[in-house]
Amino acid sequence: MRGQLDPQSSMFHYFSPESRVPADHPLRRVKKLADRALAAISADLNALYSSVGRPSIPPERLLKGQLLIALYSIRSDRQFCEQLDYNIL
């Protein structure tokens, strides 16, 4: 079953990650492009997931993570998680 983005996930943070990124940061433009591309393939992604079972991590979140890994030349998913904790990318 395909996982969904939780709009209330911000209640678990003391600050918004969006507020930590400057308004003119290049990642904001990259995020808009990624969101547009992922919206275009959303129907195809839905077709790949079952309607029953345990929800997965939303594929949009996984793909955006992989994009950040490529942009920041991070070697592994584990190192990416460590960098997120350390740098709040």
Side-chain angles (χ1 to χ4, degrees):
M1 185 159 87
R2 181 177 175 191
Q4 299 295 318
L5 291 174
D6 183 10
Q8 292 187 346
S9 63
S10 63
M11 69 186 250
F12 297 110
H13 299 286
Y14 291 108
F15 60 89
S16 166
E18 287 288 321
S19 68
R20 306 287 292 178
V21 180
D24 61 342
H25 197 281
L27 276 182
R28 290 199 179 270
R29 283 183 269 144
V30 171
K31 183 180 185 295
K32 284 181 186 176
L33 291 171
D35 286 341
R36 210 175 305 144
L38 290 170
I41 63 168
S42 183
D44 295 329
L45 292 174
N46 279 336
L48 297 173
Y49 287 83
S50 172
S51 60
V52 295
R54 187 173 147 210
S56 69
I57 298 171
E60 293 87 355
R61 184 166 290 161
L62 293 172
L63 290 169
K64 285 181 187 178
Q66 291 299 314
L67 181 60
L68 286 174
I69 287 171
L71 289 173
Y72 283 93
S73 301
I74 298 173
R75 292 184 299 240
S76 68
D77 292 343
R78 180 175 290 186
Q79 187 181 22
F80 175 65
C81 292
E82 290 172 6
Q83 291 291 321
L84 278 177
D85 287 338
Y86 184 74
N87 294 326
I88 310 174
L89 292 173

